[in-house]
Amino acid sequence: MQSHGVLTFVERPPGDASMIESQWVLGRKLLANSQTAKWKVRPVGRGDQQKPGDYNDITSPVIDSASVRLALGLAAKHDVEIAVPDIPPAFLSCRLQETLYMRLPDGEWPDDPYC
């Protein structure tokens, strides 16, 4: 990840900068016969630990399932068609303006973090 310019290792964040905790996410690639081709692992930031006021109050809005059931029930009762546009999440490919600091997850790490 460092060779791709995604991250830079630092000893400590400057001043009172807050750090995001992280955890390992495991995944696997499957062959056509459902056998494991290879395992993949990556550290990801835990966004569930974001505090109000951090990172310009970025949130992820979620709709309540009761609201969806109500809308579908009303549409069925009044014989109305429902169209749902597929909107790609723009935040996945945007560049961040802020500098974020992430604590590496627990586990075995080599002595040289750049290897």
Side-chain angles (χ1 to χ4, degrees):
M1 290 187 342
Q2 185 172 3
S3 65
H4 292 288
V6 176
L7 64 85
T8 304
F9 286 100
V10 295
E11 285 294 322
R12 297 209 179 270
D16 62 346
S18 61
M19 294 184 71
I20 300 171
E21 295 295 323
S22 63
Q23 66 184 30
W24 292 111
V25 173
L26 303 172
R28 62 182 174 153
K29 289 206 163 205
L30 298 176
L31 299 172
N33 61 1
S34 298
Q35 289 184 335
T36 302
K38 65 179 175 178
W39 286 92
K40 300 178 94 177
V41 61
R42 65 182 185 270
V44 296
R46 294 192 49 196
D48 62 324
Q49 295 183 337
Q50 182 173 326
K51 298 177 187 117
D54 283 353
Y55 318 119
N56 298 326
D57 292 328
I58 296 171
T59 61
S60 178
V62 179
I63 191 167
D64 186 31
S65 61
S67 301
V68 173
R69 287 195 303 270
L70 176 66
L72 292 174
L74 288 172
K77 180 179 180 181
H78 297 288
D79 197 26
V80 177
E81 291 186 22
I82 296 179
V84 179
D86 186 18
I87 302 171
F91 62 87
L92 291 179
S93 60
C94 70
R95 297 234 177 234
L96 292 175
Q97 303 293 326
E98 301 82 14
T99 301
L100 301 178
Y101 296 96
M102 181 176 76
R103 185 182 322 275
L104 293 175
D106 293 334
E108 296 283 330
W109 288 93
D111 292 335
D112 181 11
Y114 303 107
C115 66

